[in-house]
Amino acid sequence: MQGFDRVLVVDDEPSLRVCVSERLRDAGYDVLVAEDGQGALAQFEEGVIDAVVLDHRLPDVTGLDVLKHMRSRKPWVPVIMLTGYATIDAAVSSMKEGAYHYGTKPIDLDELAQLVDLALQGSRLQRHMAGLEEQSGEGPVLIGESSAMREVRSLVRRIARSPSITI
């Protein structure tokens, strides 16, 4: 956990919103809350949000609609979907739309804090790797100057030029 990560907690159930936000604050996160989809989207667009804990059922829109919007605007932000009414279809739809995790309520708050931490670590790593790829202009970066690494780079270049392989 980085100390300044901001997590948006979205749930229409006040007691759950308070419990989750307090546990995440105790874990060192800066926590924002929203009770519906419109409030969540407004906060998501206004400032820096590093992760989202999102209820699947909201009073104004579905959590899936909120997830789709968030992923279309900032795909690097991990979204953890929670629901008290789990169905296989909802879980599959959420994961297809890019949810980091789909879990059921009640959720163990310590496990949720660990899940948020893992999601943020993964997001930071993805952004770091994307930055390295962008800097090199050649895709993934292979670091090292040993003879074995030179051979690997040579092999990758030969494979990339091969007409029989599409990447």
Side-chain angles (χ1 to χ4, degrees), residues 16-157:
L16 184 72
R17 207 170 48 240
V18 168
C19 289
V20 169
S21 60
E22 284 180 359
R23 177 59 186 95
L24 293 176
R25 280 187 187 104
D26 288 346
Y29 296 107
D30 181 17
V31 180
L32 301 174
V33 296
E35 62 186 36
D36 58 28
Q38 294 304 317
L41 291 174
Q43 289 194 59
F44 188 78
E45 294 295 332
E46 283 176 14
V48 174
I49 303 293
D50 299 298
V52 179
V53 176
L54 176 63
D55 188 10
H56 194 271
R57 284 196 177 177
L58 297 169
D60 55 348
V61 296
T62 69
L64 190 59
D65 289 335
V66 174
L67 170 66
K68 287 178 186 178
H69 180 83
M70 288 177 172
R71 296 290 297 166
S72 72
R73 302 282 294 144
K74 300 175 187 175
W76 61 87
V77 175
V79 178
I80 298 167
M81 296 285 291
L82 298 179
T83 186
Y85 309 94
T87 66
I88 292 173
D89 287 341
V92 168
S93 296
S94 295
M95 298 307 285
K96 279 185 176 179
E97 291 299 331
Y100 177 82
H101 178 80
Y102 184 89
T104 57
K105 297 177 190 176
I107 188 163
D108 180 280
L109 296 177
D110 291 332
E111 287 179 20
L112 179 60
Q114 289 177 337
L115 190 58
V116 168
D117 189 47
L118 288 173
L120 287 165
Q121 287 178 34
S123 176
R124 281 191 291 276
L125 182 59
Q126 284 178 330
R127 286 180 294 180
H128 177 73
M129 291 304 298
L132 288 176
E133 289 176 9
E134 196 174 288
Q135 287 175 8
S136 73
E138 298 178 3
V141 175
L142 298 175
I143 301 171
E145 292 303 321
S146 68
S147 61
M149 285 305 296
R150 285 192 297 271
E151 286 181 44
V152 168
R153 277 196 288 278
S154 175
L155 178 61
V156 168
R157 281 192 292 273

